[in-house]
Amino acid sequence: MEGCVNETNFVILEEGVIAMDVIGQKINEKKLTGNTDAFYVADLGEVIKKHHQWKMALPRVKPFYAVKCNDSKPIVWTLAQLGISFDCASKNEIAMVQDIGVPPERIIYAHPCKESSHIKFAATNGIQMMTFDNKDELFKIARIHPTARMVLRIVTNDAKSFLPLSMKFGATLKECRQLMECAKALCVDIIGVSFHVGSGCTEPQAFVEAIADSRIVFDIGMSLGFHMNLLDIGGGFPGSEEEKITFQEIAAVINRALELHFPEASGVNIIAEPGRYYVASSLTIAANIIGRKITIDSTNSNDDETETKKTIMYYVNDGRYGSLKAEQPPIKPIAFKKVSPDQQLFDTKLWGPTCDSFDYVIDHCKLPELEIGDWLLFQNRGAYTITLASKFNGFQGPIANFVMTREGWETLQKIKQENQLPTEEQVQGEI
Ligand SMILES: Cc1ncc(COP(=O)(O)O)c(C=O)c1O
């Protein structure tokens, strides 16, 4: 628990109160004081719920949360309390997770091209599991961390993913034998295979193919004398109901492929590196309308009557350079205002607050006419949002708030009873 920031707001909600109530309260308070700063509310209870669903749908697969997706300490802390392990991509991510008290066995350094000084740091801090996909990396490992337990990352067919990764990382099946022979010659141990089907995967068949390919690589490794006992099926799982495929659909396909190629009797440990799955739906951003431009276009129709078309551009105080960059799941602004169902909707474009014309939030949506000072909500924004925010043009990202339902808190307590969960007061002081 040490190392958690204490400037963030963390509240355990009373019975019947939900995160959306907190957002409403905050907006009303802000209206009273004239404060228009953008903020977000992250619901840690939602993260706990996701973990429960994971265990139900993928009981054989041990999750290593991908810290890069959202590295907020309260989120990482909650996941750590649930007993989840971590995928770290750098020295700072490893240090942060270890600061929270996560032991090195619960960390995989899942970056195939690591900076030498970061490998040294990992070695000094007891991290053993790490990925690779090329010979140069093996030479680095042999020199800096010869006792590491390496996991060979292979390419996948990620054509149907929102964010493909295989053009940057992964060895082809052809390259795998050579790489494994090289590891053998360097006395570097290989314990398994990893892959990533690309973030925001919409095609479960990508997992099936990658699991089948992993089996081939396992067999090569075993024929070379490696004790292969780890399959890492990476990330790519959907994080909200807005996505094209459900987590349960993907999980069912994965379970069948695992049963075929890596049945329980094989004794192979299966892990995954979900990021988006755990956090996307937990976070709602509230941004204020700071400017507005209304355009009226007049056109003459055939019978000489003039038709007018109103389009509206709003400028809001979070944008593409802040935390409203990730377009998956699609950005769907909601007006935080009572709007009657028959209120007219207009073609709308949303701009971020900076001077840069690349800083748009959404090119086109339909919204009612709103005023400067009104608020817009953006749901499902927990993945690849606040970790990517910059301070371009001097704009600070949205202010962080964390909540957990009483029910979520009690679930966490049950899980951690035997491990002396800190009191509510201690947590509020520490995160
Ligand atoms: C190596 C690795 N693992 C896991 C993840 C997390 O992926 P996702 O958020 O799609 O679950 C990523 C994302 O880029 C990654 O590069």
Side-chain angles (χ1 to χ4, degrees):
M1 285 293 295
E2 271 163 39
C4 284
V5 287
N6 52 19
E7 70 266 24
T8 51
N9 278 334
F10 171 68
V11 174
I12 296 178
L13 303 175
E14 286 317 317
E15 198 83 36
V17 179
I18 58 167
M20 198 47 94
D21 299 329
V22 175
I23 294 169
Q25 268 168 22
K26 288 204 168 291
I27 289 178
N28 290 332
E29 280 163 25
K30 279 170 177 283
K31 278 184 183 159
L32 291 176
T33 59
N35 177 337
T36 56
D37 292 341
F39 66 95
Y40 69 80
V41 172
D43 182 355
L44 302 175
E46 180 71 15
V47 174
I48 297 172
K49 202 171 90 191
K50 285 297 189 65
H51 185 49
H52 182 66
Q53 284 173 6
W54 181 281
K55 287 196 299 184
M56 302 291 286
L58 287 173
R60 280 187 67 197
V61 185
K62 194 171 169 198
F64 281 60
Y65 172 69
V67 177
K68 60 184 80 71
C69 185
N70 186 324
D71 63 358
S72 311
K73 283 190 177 167
I75 287 181
V76 175
W77 177 84
T78 302
L79 292 166
Q81 302 311 297
L82 290 167
I84 290 174
S85 299
F86 293 90
D87 148 17
C88 297
S90 65
K91 172 181 163 174
N92 283 346
E93 285 189 356
I94 294 171
M96 184 221 180
V97 168
Q98 289 201 318
D99 266 0
I100 286 172
V102 175
E105 315 80 74
R106 274 169 59 193
I107 297 174
I108 181 166
Y109 189 174
H111 194 317
C113 296
K114 296 168 279 303
E115 203 169 323
S116 295
S117 62
H118 293 210
I119 300 175
K120 204 171 195 168
F121 179 86
T124 313
N125 287 280
I127 312 298
Q128 292 292 329
M129 272 192 295
M130 39 189 79
T131 60
F132 78 106
D133 68 0
N134 66 85
K135 263 189 190 172
D136 285 303
E137 196 70 8
L138 281 176
F139 281 100
K140 268 193 246 170
I141 296 293
R143 187 166 47 83
I144 306 167
H145 192 359
T147 62
R149 297 160 67 219
M150 303 306 291
V151 180
L152 175 50
R153 174 148 164 195
I154 60 171
V155 288
T156 61
N157 177 359
D158 53 14
K160 297 249 173 76
S161 295
F162 180 73
L163 219 147
L165 295 165
S166 284
M167 80 282 261
K168 187 167 179 180
F169 298 118
T172 61
L173 288 189
K174 249 184 177 172
E175 290 163 334
C176 283
R177 176 176 284 277
Q178 265 193 359
L179 283 173
M180 292 175 122
E181 283 169 351
C182 175
K184 199 86 245 172
L186 291 169
C187 295
V188 170
D189 192 18
I190 298 179
I191 60 162
V193 175
S194 81
F195 62 78
H196 196 305
V197 295
S199 198
C201 175
T202 57
E203 177 48 86
Q205 193 58 26
F207 279 97
V208 175
E209 285 168 25
I211 291 170
D213 286 350
S214 300
R215 182 69 255 174
I216 295 170
V217 181
F218 254 69
D219 292 341
I220 299 172
M222 280 159 45
S223 73
L224 291 173
F226 289 109
H227 180 56
M228 306 284 283
N229 64 5
L230 186 92
L231 173 66
D232 175 356
I233 64 171
F237 307 91
S240 81
E241 282 164 12
E242 296 283 323
E243 288 173 58
K244 286 188 185 147
I245 187 157
T246 67
F247 171 61
Q248 282 74 12
E249 281 172 271
I250 289 207
V253 175
I254 290 174
N255 286 334
R256 279 197 296 275
L258 289 177
E259 208 33 56
L260 183 64
H261 299 290
F262 295 90
E264 281 208 74
S266 68
V268 173
N269 298 309
I270 317 286
I271 69 168
E273 300 166 3
R276 183 186 299 283
Y277 168 76
Y278 270 99
V279 293
S281 57
S282 67
L283 197 143
T284 300
I285 295 171
N288 193 260
I289 296 177
I290 55 170
R292 185 178 75 168
K293 207 181 272 180
I294 296 181
T295 314
I296 313 270
D297 267 343
S298 302
T299 46
N300 273 344
S301 64
N302 285 346
D303 48 8
D304 267 0
E305 272 187 28
T306 304
E307 280 177 16
T308 57
K309 186 171 180 261
K310 188 160 155 180
T311 54
I312 311 181
M313 298 203 299
Y314 295 113
Y315 300 77
V316 293
N317 58 1
D318 192 13
R320 194 157 277 261
Y321 289 105
S323 53
L324 286 173
K325 181 179 187 160
E327 287 166 357
Q328 182 67 12
I331 294 182
K332 289 185 181 163
I334 302 168
F336 185 79
K337 200 172 193 179
K338 275 212 174 73
V339 181
S340 73
D342 53 355
Q343 188 151 347
Q344 194 179 354
L345 300 178
F346 297 97
D347 289 324
T348 304
K349 178 162 183 161
L350 289 187
W351 292 101
T354 70
C355 298
D356 190 328
S357 59
F358 183 63
D359 186 15
Y360 65 92
V361 176
I362 180 162
D363 223 9
H364 179 258
C365 61
K366 291 269 191 191
L367 282 176
E369 185 167 341
L370 301 166
E371 309 291 328
I372 291 175
D374 281 342
W375 290 84
L376 289 174
L377 304 185
F378 301 88
Q379 293 178 304
N380 299 315
R381 308 263 51 98
Y384 306 107
T385 48
I386 48 177
T387 37
L388 298 180
S390 77
K391 294 196 170 68
F392 181 51
N393 271 207
F395 291 99
Q396 306 290 318
I399 296 162
N401 298 276
F402 298 89
V403 299
M404 194 186 287
T405 53
R406 175 73 43 196
E407 195 192 351
W409 176 255
E410 275 158 15
T411 307
L412 207 56
Q413 242 169 341
K414 260 187 230 147
I415 293 169
K416 289 296 293 176
Q417 230 158 22
E418 67 280 7
N419 294 346
Q420 291 165 339
L421 188 77
T423 63
E424 185 173 322
E425 290 70 33
Q426 281 170 318
V427 175
Q428 279 169 336
E430 287 170 356
I431 62 176

